Amino acid sequence: PASRRGCPRGHSSSNAPPPGDAAGSNSGLGKRVASAALGMSFGELALYFNVPRAATVRASADAFCWKLDRRTFRHFIAQSQIARLENTTRDFEGIDILSSMPTAHLQQIATHVKELSFDEGATIIREGSEGDAVYLLKSGQVLCTNIDKSYVQTRDVQLGPGAHFGEMAQVTNNHTRTCDVVCLTPAAAGVRER
């Protein structure tokens, strides 16, 4: 279970609170490799991958932190992954072209979705490039522009959270992108590659 621990300044602990110095400072413990501040975490890689700690953490000021044991940490990770899978499956059920697929198939597809972030002005899809992924917009605004003239809809289309794009190149024989998709704001999307 989670517990709250205090660590006075200068004391070392692999569970010491931020702000701290991984691998210490120049006091004989080794080279400083990172610093942590309020709200940051450390030690999770050892729990996630079941490996020994890679550094010593020293508190540079009196502080408090929360400590999670391996079992609790893995439980939270598993619950988070289950929730993400359910949300992504639900998102796929809302896509017309995928809505007729059985839920079990959509869940299998959802296990291969990764989340990517994009900066304002970034081009996510370029017209004419190979269509190798479907995108589910989680946050932000994008603009579909430079739409192929062979489509009925050729005016620019703005999309927001919950929208999807890129699916046509996945389900047709023509795997070429038919428009540019550009971020109007910073954006995040679930991405399923072919």
Side-chain angles (χ1 to χ4, degrees), residues 22 26 66 84 118 122:
N26 294 330
W66 291 99
R84 186 184 65 78
F118 303 94

Side-chain angles (χ1 to χ4, degrees), residues 39-73:
M40 296 176 70
S41 65
F42 52 89
E44 65 277 1
L45 293 178
L47 295 177
Y48 195 78
F49 294 109
N50 199 23
V51 296
R53 303 264 185 213
T56 298
V57 177
R58 288 177 41 116
S60 59
D62 291 345
F64 286 94
C65 71
W66 291 99
K67 173 187 170 189
L68 292 178
D69 60 58
R70 177 175 279 115
R71 182 176 176 188
T72 304
F73 177 79

